[in-house]
Amino acid sequence: MPYTSSGIYWEEHGRGTSTVVMLPGFGASADLMAGIARHLDGFRVLIFDLPGHARSVRAPADGRLPSLAAILHEAINEAGADDYCLVGYSLGGAIAMRIALDHPDEVRAMIGVVPWNAGGTTAEDAVIAGFDAAYGDVEALTHAVAAISVDPSRTSGLTSSMLTVTERMWHGWLAGGALTSQADELPGMRVPTCYLLGGKDVVVDQAKQLDDVRRIPGSRAVLLQELGHLCGLERPDVVAYEISAFLRRIAPS
């Protein structure tokens, strides 16, 4: 199992002339993106566990977007990628945005899958506050995961990966990083961008996601009407189809 010098775990899937880097969402492991990658053909795919998550628990993780993006950018380069398409899921989408803004000459295209909106949220956000309060509580997390699922039978394993997240990363994101904004930087985005939105997503405000898309020059959004925030677990084939369609249009091999 390969690790970078900073303790970030990564794995490689598939073959192709184009490299796709995939970043999971908050509380998830590389397994989430591996499920999507199984439906992607013709790409070399590198998947990373986020800092403070799963097999990257020893990597520094304070829950803040600049530092999370910096350590992952270093890990991506160390894994041998310096010209790649970037796919980020939920929190991974916000991190991917930060990387694309900071390193536009390396990122060929960026896709946010039910991405955390660039404007952030407030302390009054009940879903985010509820997860923050549930740290380490198996029963509460099990109920919370079911509540944000369209098909809970396909998402129950997420609770186990949430229990691996370090306390500093958990509260650092939910009570800190999630409240910050990088929305004002979006008009300067130079990377072709697509958001995949879940019509039944109860975690991220769709209006805020669409505001992101309006701010980013030339970007587009795809609405997956019947899917929710955990669509990567529930319908990885649909998510992979939309990723592939955008990448082949914007960054052909």
Side-chain angles (χ1 to χ4, degrees):
M1 296 185 297
Y3 288 83
T4 68
S5 57
S6 59
I8 294 291
Y9 169 85
W10 65 280
E11 56 191 42
E12 185 169 350
H13 298 256
R15 294 182 180 179
T17 56
S18 293
T19 297
V20 176
V21 170
M22 304 186 80
L23 306 178
F26 177 75
S29 72
D31 294 342
L32 165 65
M33 304 309 262
I36 298 171
R38 292 188 190 100
H39 299 277
L40 290 174
D41 293 321
F43 298 99
R44 174 189 180 228
V45 180
L46 305 180
I47 304 174
F48 295 78
D49 273 335
L50 299 184
H53 287 64
R55 288 153 289 194
S56 294
V57 290
R58 292 182 177 84
D62 62 3
R64 307 292 172 153
L65 288 173
S67 56
L68 294 172
I71 193 171
L72 282 164
H73 175 255
E74 179 182 323
I76 291 166
N77 287 171
E78 193 172 329
D82 56 11
D83 178 28
Y84 50 89
C85 303
L86 193 51
V87 178
Y89 195 108
S90 191
L91 165 57
I95 296 172
M97 180 67 72
R98 185 69 263 158
I99 293 173
L101 285 166
D102 291 343
H103 306 280
D105 294 332
E106 297 180 26
V107 181
R108 297 175 64 189
M110 200 285 283
I111 296 177
V113 181
V114 290
W116 183 250
N117 59 280
T121 190
T122 67
E124 289 71 41
D125 186 323
V127 174
I128 299 302
F131 271 103
D132 187 36
Y135 175 75
D137 186 328
V138 177
E139 183 176 358
L141 288 174
T142 299
H143 286 303
V145 169
I148 65 173
S149 302
V150 174
D151 182 358
S153 69
R154 294 178 176 269
T155 63
S156 58
L158 182 59
T159 299
S160 296
S161 63
M162 282 189 163
L163 292 171
T164 70
V165 180
T166 63
E167 186 169 9
R168 186 184 184 208
M169 173 66 208
W170 187 276
H171 297 306
W173 169 246
L174 293 171
L179 309 184
T180 62
S181 174
Q182 50 190 10
D184 289 346
E185 297 179 68
L186 298 185
M189 181 73 160
R190 292 167 44 196
V191 175
T193 301
C194 178
Y195 273 21
L196 304 183
L197 311 182
K200 296 185 177 180
D201 190 341
V202 296
V203 175
V204 187
D205 188 318
Q206 189 179 110
K208 292 181 179 179
Q209 291 172 321
L210 291 172
D211 185 59
D212 287 358
V213 173
R214 283 189 287 268
R215 288 170 179 257
I216 301 169
S219 64
R220 72 192 303 262
V222 176
L223 178 63
L224 306 175
Q225 187 67 48
E226 298 302 314
L227 302 188
H229 196 70
L230 300 184
C231 55
L233 294 171
E234 295 165 329
R235 291 302 308 271
D237 56 330
V238 174
V239 174
Y241 175 84
E242 297 295 346
I243 290 171
S244 182
F246 182 72
L247 293 184
R248 293 192 189 282
R249 182 184 306 114
I250 297 300
S253 300

